[in-house]
Every structure is written in C-alpha cells, then in structure tokens.
Amino acid sequence: MKFVLIFGPQAVGKMTVGQELAKITGLKLFHNHMTIELVTPIFDFGTKEGQRLVTMFRQEIFEAVAKSDLEGLIFTYVWAFDHPSDWEYIKNVCQIFESRGADVYFVELEADLNERLERNKSPHRLEHKPTKRNIEWSENNLKKSMEKYRLNSLEGEITKPEYIRINNTNRSAEEVAKVIKEKFQL
C-alpha cells in the first residue's frame, strides 16, 4: 500500500498532477474537492457542519482504503504550515496508512502566482471543481489565503525522507507525474 500526499497552494496543479500520477501508477486519486463538492450544495464548506462532514467523509475513505487491498491512494491537500492543527491532521492521516504498513510519500508543489491565477480559470479545473466557477470569488480567495496562511514549507521544515518539492510553474502535469513516479519508484 502506498499513500501519496500532494500538497501546495490553491491552483498549483495538485489535482491535475494527481490525475496524471494515477494514470501511470494505478493508484487511486482522492482529490480534496471530491468531498468539498459533495457537501457544499447542502452545507457550505466554510460552515462548522460543512467542515465536519468533509472531515468525516475523508476519514472514512482513508480508513477503508488503508484496510483494503488497493495498491494505494493519492490525496491532495492545501496545508497551512503556520497552523499546528494542519500538522496534526496530516500526522493523523499518515498514521492511518502507516499503522497498516503503508509507505507514505510527500509531494510539495509550488508555482508562481501569475501561473496559479491562470490555472485557477482553466476549464479542466472548473469542470472538476464547481465551487471554483465564480472566478472573481475564487481568485480573491486564492489571494487572501496567501496573505492569511503559509502554504509552502520552509527549507528543511519537512524532514520526511520520502519527500520531494517541485516547482511546476513551467512543467506539465504529465512531466511532474513522471518525476514523482521515478523518485519514489511507484
């Protein structure tokens, strides 16, 4: 069992890289918006109940996958490095898989703001993430989150040996997926 966590700021390409990695590895992709889009038509993600439901669905899926005979899972996440609760969340998610003997890999993506703003409007992103279709709101949210949170790690902050950081500003998702597959021999 392999658990690949792809993290980075909004519109950096986590889902798209995850889709390409799933194609070439056979691992299943569980991108973070799969649960957000499920819950949001009933309870906005920003509400306490919306967040509770998203967390609950994710937890159940992680536990089911960890107990299964699947080859593994790719999960995408926006990690606020300056919030201890996000560190604790990642630790707990990884523990679900590690407690069952899974190998855990960290993939951090970073890209220039202008590239992320362009990706934020891409038809592919909007097809898979209906809550991002209000471009003005989505763009403002992306910029505000950069001011409020630190969404990429500091040098040396992640000490996990199975870790790679990739600046994918000028790299295709296919190319990045190949780098990840090769690095971790997936």
Side-chain angles (χ1 to χ4, degrees):
M1 171 74 62
K2 297 175 183 346
F3 178 66
V4 180
L5 176 66
I6 301 177
F7 55 92
Q10 298 101 320
V12 76
K14 298 177 297 293
M15 177 190 70
T16 309
V17 167
Q19 289 168 330
E20 293 302 321
L21 188 60
K23 285 180 193 173
I24 62 174
T25 63
L27 301 176
K28 301 292 183 182
L29 173 64
F30 179 33
H31 68 80
N32 61 331
H33 266 265
M34 293 168 89
T35 48
I36 292 169
E37 301 301 339
L38 173 68
V39 169
T40 297
I42 302 163
F43 293 104
D44 186 63
F45 180 61
T47 65
K48 184 176 180 179
E49 190 62 13
Q51 290 179 344
R52 183 189 74 78
L53 288 168
V54 164
T55 300
M56 181 196 71
F57 285 127
R58 288 178 183 174
Q59 179 81 13
E60 291 294 323
I61 291 169
F62 293 144
E63 289 178 8
V65 170
K67 293 174 188 173
S68 77
D69 60 357
L70 292 174
E71 287 185 47
L73 188 72
I74 302 162
F75 179 62
T76 68
Y77 188 69
V78 176
W79 184 346
F81 285 92
D82 47 352
H83 282 253
S85 61
D86 272 17
W87 283 88
E88 189 65 24
Y89 179 74
I90 295 300
K91 177 183 164 190
N92 291 337
V93 170
C94 291
Q95 181 58 33
I96 291 169
F97 290 93
E98 290 169 338
S99 70
R100 298 228 171 233
D103 297 318
V104 175
Y105 306 94
F106 281 10
V107 178
E108 181 172 5
L109 298 180
E110 63 180 335
D112 296 345
L113 176 60
N114 287 337
E115 179 64 23
R116 290 176 45 225
L117 290 171
E118 282 305 308
R119 291 177 184 172
N120 188 57
K121 300 180 273 193
S122 75
H124 183 73
R125 177 177 171 85
L126 301 179
E127 174 188 346
H128 293 279
K129 300 179 180 183
T131 57
K132 300 292 184 181
R133 291 177 184 160
N134 178 335
I135 301 296
E136 183 180 348
W137 173 87
S138 183
E139 189 171 297
N140 286 333
N141 179 261
L142 187 153
K143 290 176 181 176
K144 285 179 184 175
S145 70
M146 286 180 52
E147 296 167 8
K148 188 174 180 181
Y149 305 108
R150 183 167 53 83
L151 301 176
N152 278 114
S153 69
L154 299 173
E155 182 73 30
E157 189 171 22
I158 297 187
T159 57
K160 184 163 193 48
E162 297 83 15
Y163 163 72
I164 187 171
R165 182 174 182 149
I166 302 170
N167 185 319
N168 65 332
T169 300
N170 298 309
R171 297 173 98 171
S172 71
E174 296 87 357
E175 179 186 354
V176 173
K178 287 176 187 172
V179 168
I180 296 165
K181 180 181 179 181
E182 185 176 299
K183 165 76 174 173
F184 298 128
Q185 299 177 358
L186 299 174

